[in-house]
Amino acid sequence: MTPVVEAVDVTREYVLGAGRKAAAVTVRALRGVSFAVEPGEFVAIAGPSGSGKSTLLHLLGALDRPTAGSLRFSGRDVADLDDVELATLRNREIGFVFQQFQLLTRTSALANVALPLVYAGVRRGERRERAVAALEAVGLGSRLNHRPAQLSGGEQQRVAVARALVTRPRLLLADEPTGNLDTTTGAEIMRLLRDLNRDFGVALVVITHDTEVAALAPRRIRIRDGLLDDGAVAPPAPRALDDAGPARASAG
Ligand code: ADP
């Protein structure tokens, strides 16, 4: 099977400009990273602050290009894509979920979720149908016309997940998706992401500094100082997702 995304010997260096007195400094944020995400896989990439997670996420999202090495999306090297092809890749094949939700504050949940379909050129009637279906899939069928301020943090993140999935991407990238939520709500969002990964077959990559969040993924990769450590370090025992729900917590 062709991987959804594959990194081959990827490095990313940032060159900080030389000042009048200082010489240029090169920061080696990624120092030779290779791994592949198969269709439908669920992978967590975990590491401490400064380890290169954001840099890697930008590359996996085709938002940035590597200094050396290659990134392939469904077998195509990003280096060979022109700007239009890159924009199409980002808009149709990759969905993003961020720590800060990144919703438009003045528009409804429905309009937020339909927005990527506007960019994709989908006609109005179909946009609405697909946005409603995506909101129903994340359990927000009764919140279509609520604006973000009228929703809880967990609900806002569900809207963001629906927006990421409405284009039916092959790859869902989640950057610290629970970072702005309390533990119980964070576990609900992780359970939702896991269910969507299982039910819709979208490959899921969760980037996190939280080893407990990472432990929920069947495959875990650690990143440290710009290098990957694929499965060599045992994570803490997985917290059982199905036992972490609020219903059971309050019942018990
Ligand atoms: P993480 O997301 O794990 O906190 P980052 O990918 O943001 O790590 O950063 C990895 C390293 O690269 C850090 O040393 C950071 O300071 C450096 N870095 C990240 N972005 C830039 C940038 N735009 N310019 C210079 N250095 C950067």
Side-chain angles (χ1 to χ4, degrees), residues 14-16 27-29 47-56 223:
Y14 299 105
V15 179
L16 303 178
V27 178
R28 300 172 71 203
S49 177
S51 57
K53 298 186 300 298
S54 302
T55 301
L56 183 58
I223 181 168

Side-chain angles (χ1 to χ4, degrees), residues 36-51:
V37 179
E38 302 298 330
E41 225 188 343
F42 174 8
V43 190
I45 300 177
S49 177
S51 57

